[in-house]
Amino acid sequence: MGTDEKISRLLREHGRTYADEAGIRLRDTPAPLYQLLVLTVLCSVRIRAATATAAARELFAAGLRTPAAMAESTWRERVTVLGRAHYVRYDESTAAALGEGAALVLDRYGGDLRRLREEASGDPARIRALLREVPRIGPVGAGIFCREAQAVWPELRPYFDDRSRAAAAALGLPHTPTGLARHVPPDDMARLAAALVRTGLSG
């Protein structure tokens, strides 16, 4: 099976972004970008991706879809919602991180992460550095956000983090961002990155 055929199969079978799984209709607008940040925080601990996306859906269903709504909720309310999604062990610390992160997004960016993008002047390394100022988000989390956000922030493309590149290598595919990017249109790069991560996690 050739490279293009392998990648087409990956996209067909596993090419659903984690944002989509979490119910986020990702666009370059404040609410969905913040929701992606919430998902990133949830994924930034040692927990199954399915549990993190389920927790994100529960938070959004509870109305916690904007930094203002998150900041106005109580810590106990957030813990309860996370518990409904079986996001346990990290529920209390994550509830605190979500509240602190919402306050930071409101105070520094006026609730709009496009201002983070502007502050970074579209530089991917600077975007990652600013993301790491959000409580709970470290290098891996910043990579998760950029991997998904490249769907709406073209300057991040091609973005394939360590997990997606390792999975590509294991499958005998090109395992550099530019090598992988040659085989998909720009709009499919986020889907391919997610497909590779899903394949790596199931392997």
Side-chain angles (χ1 to χ4, degrees):
M1 187 183 297
T3 296
D4 287 336
E5 190 176 353
K6 285 182 181 179
I7 287 176
S8 293
R9 183 175 178 179
L10 271 172
L11 288 170
R12 186 171 60 252
E13 296 181 357
H14 304 288
R16 186 184 189 191
T17 64
Y18 287 92
D20 183 62
E21 184 179 340
I24 303 167
R25 298 182 65 179
L26 193 57
R27 299 184 302 278
D28 187 26
T29 54
L33 288 171
Y34 174 69
Q35 290 160 22
L36 177 59
L37 190 75
V38 169
L39 176 61
T40 299
V41 169
L42 295 169
C43 289
S44 293
V45 294
R46 292 183 178 277
I47 201 161
R48 293 176 60 246
T51 303
T53 53
R57 289 195 302 271
E58 284 288 345
L59 287 165
F60 305 151
L64 306 182
R65 295 183 290 270
T66 67
M70 189 71 76
E72 289 168 5
S73 67
T74 67
W75 175 81
R76 175 54 61 191
E77 287 168 344
R78 296 191 293 272
V79 169
T80 299
V81 173
L82 291 171
R84 287 204 296 268
H86 307 291
Y87 191 99
V88 294
R89 186 177 170 195
Y90 301 104
D91 53 348
E92 295 186 354
S93 62
T94 299
L98 288 169
E100 293 164 8
L104 182 147
V105 173
L106 287 168
D107 293 343
R108 182 157 181 180
Y109 303 113
D112 187 349
L113 288 172
R114 293 176 300 182
R115 295 185 183 178
L116 179 151
R117 182 187 187 187
E118 291 169 4
E119 184 173 325
S121 300
D123 177 65
R126 182 65 179 146
I127 288 173
R128 292 195 300 274
L130 291 173
L131 287 167
R132 289 174 63 183
E133 295 179 4
V134 177
R136 178 61 63 78
I137 295 180
V140 171
I144 292 170
F145 184 95
C146 291
R147 192 179 74 209
E148 298 271 322
Q150 69 180 318
V152 293
W153 288 0
E155 66 271 25
L156 294 173
R157 301 173 190 157
Y159 197 92
F160 294 90
D161 59 6
D162 290 346
R163 287 180 179 177
S164 53
R165 294 198 304 271
L171 293 169
L173 294 170
H175 49 279
T176 65
T178 52
L180 287 164
R182 292 191 191 103
H183 296 275
V184 287
D187 288 348
D188 278 342
M189 288 181 191
R191 292 180 58 232
L192 177 58
L196 288 166
V197 170
R198 291 180 187 279
T199 302
L201 291 174
S202 65

